[in-house]
Amino acid sequence: MPRVKLHRFADNATRPDIIEPGKPEFEALGGRWQTDFFRNHHPLTLEMGCGKGEYTVGLAQRHPQRNFLGLDIKGERLWSGSTRAAALGLANVGFVRARAEALTAQFAPGELGEIWITFPDPRPRDRDIKRRLTAPRFLNQYAELLAPGAPLHLKTDNDGLFDYTLEILAARPGAVVDAQTRDLYAESGPGFAEAQAIQTNFEGKYRAVGVPIKYVRFRLS
């Protein structure tokens, strides 16, 4: 393992804003993220597969009266997000190193006020359908952990994942789509403003070569 990566993993072990296996808080904060981690009662937003934390940190900057957590399995990515948040002096953001499949081990029912899924791996192979972050097994987890009526957002460059998500939502009882578009930055109006406000480096690269960004905001019963 490269020395830089080892150094960053060692840093993660000492950073209070990164919760990961081996720390006593791991899988012990469910239902207590607001009181024990953020030490306030602000609403909690989760970004799934946050990568280097650009979106999580961007949201935290925009909404100082909310709490934000980025979840990813890659410790080096979380180190980048933590470093960015520290440089900006943000106290309303944290990171969780965990697999998406184990989400219910990290949070209590109804604890989340919002979920963002930003540019996830589209898992295009048929054998990987169950691993898509909008597959029914993940939607079931989200429905359990979100407060009633709380929104979910998907941003993606991938047509296949976008179409699949809309099909799954159309077939799911109680699911409500509040806004959708196949070209986010061609839209205007308040329904799309929040999704347009933050652009990651990854997103910018796709836009630069003419790939439109797809977006859907929805709720689960």
Side-chain angles (χ1 to χ4, degrees):
M1 184 179 294
R3 184 176 299 177
V4 170
K5 184 177 288 189
L6 287 172
H7 175 73
R8 291 179 177 179
F9 285 172
D11 266 358
N12 287 356
T14 68
R15 294 190 177 190
D17 63 334
I18 296 179
I19 303 301
E20 61 182 359
K23 291 188 176 182
E25 305 93 336
F26 188 72
E27 292 191 0
L29 284 168
R32 306 197 328 257
W33 281 98
Q34 291 162 305
T35 57
D36 291 11
F37 184 81
F38 291 106
R39 303 191 183 283
N40 60 49
H41 293 280
H42 297 165
L44 178 58
T45 293
L46 174 70
E47 183 189 2
M48 296 292 295
C50 69
K52 295 183 178 181
E54 292 173 89
Y55 220 90
T56 302
V57 172
L59 288 169
Q61 284 182 282
R62 283 178 54 80
H63 303 285
Q65 296 305 310
R66 294 186 68 93
N67 299 322
F68 295 89
L69 287 171
L71 183 143
D72 205 286
I73 194 58
K74 299 291 188 180
E76 190 174 21
R77 296 175 184 173
L78 298 187
W79 180 91
S80 296
S82 171
T83 300
R84 184 189 302 265
L88 293 169
L90 298 175
N92 63 329
V93 60
F95 299 92
V96 185
R97 186 180 181 189
R99 295 189 179 278
E101 295 83 353
L103 196 62
T104 54
Q106 303 296 332
F107 302 97
E111 187 171 20
L112 299 177
E114 184 180 41
I115 291 177
W116 283 82
I117 308 168
T118 53
F119 302 95
D121 187 333
R123 307 289 182 185
R125 296 180 297 184
D126 288 344
R127 68 181 185 182
D128 287 335
I129 285 177
K130 290 183 178 180
R131 299 178 67 189
R132 295 173 184 170
L133 290 184
T134 54
R137 66 169 179 160
F138 287 111
L139 295 185
N140 291 340
Q141 289 191 87
Y142 306 152
E144 177 182 346
L145 300 178
L146 282 164
L152 298 93
H153 311 257
L154 170 69
K155 289 179 74 174
T156 180
D157 59 281
N158 188 271
D159 287 295
L161 177 62
F162 187 71
D163 291 339
Y164 168 81
T165 301
L166 294 182
E167 291 172 6
I168 291 297
L169 292 175
R172 186 181 179 92
V176 177
V177 173
D178 295 316
Q180 62 172 295
T181 178
R182 293 184 178 276
D183 192 351
L184 175 61
Y185 294 95
E187 302 287 350
S188 61
F192 302 98
E194 181 73 352
Q196 295 168 336
I198 302 170
Q199 178 176 296
T200 67
N201 286 333
F202 181 87
E203 184 175 358
K205 289 178 181 178
Y206 274 93
R207 290 190 67 199
V209 295
V211 176
I213 304 303
K214 275 64 71 174
Y215 169 73
V216 58
R217 185 176 71 253
F218 59 99
R219 291 173 283 129
L220 304 171
S221 64

